[in-house]
Amino acid sequence: DAKTTQPPSMDCAEGRAANLPCNHSTISGNEYVYWYRQIHSQGPQYIIHGLKNNETNEMASLIITEDRKSSTLILPHATLRDTAVYYCIVRVGLAGANNLFFGTGTRLTVIP
Amino acid sequence: GAVVSQHPSRVICKSGTSVKIECRSLDFQATTMFWYRQFPKQSLMLMATSNEGSKATYEQGVEKDKFLINHASLTLSTLTVTSAHPEDSSFYICSASGGGLFNEQFFGPGTRLTVL
């Protein structure tokens, strides 16, 4: 699976949008971009995933560049409960290849 | 949504004893379960992958005789840390996958093991 790079930490004011970048310049054509987050001392929580189109769900939006070499996770109105480590993972999405490699992630701190 | 539970959530044991951690998929059948370990301030590291009814596949550097994994049913996998030592103290997390197009993994809440 392709390697990803993320900034180690970011701060965001409560109520503002949090934009978390991820570089995945070696992503292959059949690899999806996944985002998970881990709140302190809990298991990871799935947020969103996409292949090449932008995606939105009730938690976040995922913007993938046209060349697919980078993406941005957007939390539109960050709350204190969004403070967590966010992991960007690329992997082949289809059945049979489902290992997840967790890099170091970005520690997002939402500030009151 | 898919729910995965772990039991116990926290365990303290003496050095040399064995500890069993259970991972259950509560509302779906998990064809594959994964076990991760996370040391303080570090990321999750995959320890092993298990498919129901077959032997687990361990990642390089993980001792299969020390970390016994049993995936006897489609809703239950167990990890037994045998002869635990203080260096085995860690946060153990399981995840379960029920197949499907994207083979999504759903994670349990984790088990904090402290070996004295």
Side-chain angles (χ1 to χ4, degrees):
Chain A
D1 289 339
K3 181 179 178 180
T4 63
T5 55
Q6 300 175 251
S9 64
M10 292 181 63
D11 292 339
C12 176
E14 186 179 17
R16 304 297 293 270
N19 297 283
L20 292 91
C22 179
N23 287 320
H24 32 80
S25 59
T26 59
I27 191 170
S28 300
N30 62 347
E31 288 183 313
Y32 288 71
V33 180
Y34 282 76
W35 284 84
Y36 284 79
R37 73 179 182 184
Q38 186 179 25
I39 296 171
H40 183 63
S41 292
Q42 296 183 24
Q45 177 189 21
Y46 165 82
I47 301 173
I48 199 168
H49 77 277
L51 181 62
K52 54 183 178 181
N53 296 323
N54 297 337
E55 301 288 344
T56 296
N57 63 21
E58 64 277 5
M59 290 182 68
S61 294
L62 174 61
I63 308 298
I64 302 174
T65 57
E66 193 169 341
D67 62 7
R68 301 208 325 121
K69 293 184 177 182
S70 65
S71 61
T72 301
L73 178 74
I74 301 173
L75 308 179
H77 306 285
T79 70
L80 298 179
R81 287 177 293 182
D82 292 323
T83 293
V85 178
Y86 288 76
Y87 295 98
C88 169
I89 300 168
V90 294
R91 56 165 274 231
V92 176
L94 298 180
N98 55 1
N99 287 351
L100 293 176
F101 174 74
F102 286 84
T104 54
T106 295
R107 182 174 298 278
L108 175 68
T109 302
V110 180
I111 302 169
Chain B
V3 179
V4 176
S5 69
Q6 279 185 244
H7 178 80
S9 59
R10 191 178 292 266
V11 57
I12 301 172
C13 70
K14 293 182 179 180
S15 185
T17 61
S18 295
V19 175
K20 179 183 284 188
I21 302 170
E22 291 187 350
C23 177
R24 293 181 184 274
S25 57
L26 299 185
D27 51 2
F28 68 102
Q29 293 187 324
T31 51
T32 307
M33 286 187 167
F34 304 83
W35 287 95
Y36 295 82
R37 178 167 55 181
Q38 185 175 33
F39 292 108
K41 299 190 183 300
Q42 295 186 24
S43 189
L44 285 78
M45 296 297 294
L46 179 66
M47 298 175 67
T49 303
S50 72
N51 292 296
E52 185 263 340
S54 59
K55 291 184 178 180
T57 301
Y58 290 80
E59 295 299 302
Q60 190 173 7
V62 178
E63 301 175 57
K64 62 180 181 181
D65 295 329
K66 181 169 182 62
F67 299 99
L68 302 179
I69 292 172
N70 184 289
H71 191 168
S73 77
L74 286 172
T75 59
L76 173 64
S77 176
T78 60
L79 168 68
T80 302
V81 183
T82 62
S83 186
H85 289 94
E87 57 265 31
D88 298 323
S89 297
S90 188
F91 192 50
Y92 291 87
I93 306 169
C94 74
S95 69
S97 175
L101 180 63
F102 293 102
N103 251 339
E104 301 302 339
Q105 287 188 35
F106 300 96
F107 287 83
T111 297
R112 176 130 351 248
L113 170 64
T114 302
V115 185
L116 302 177

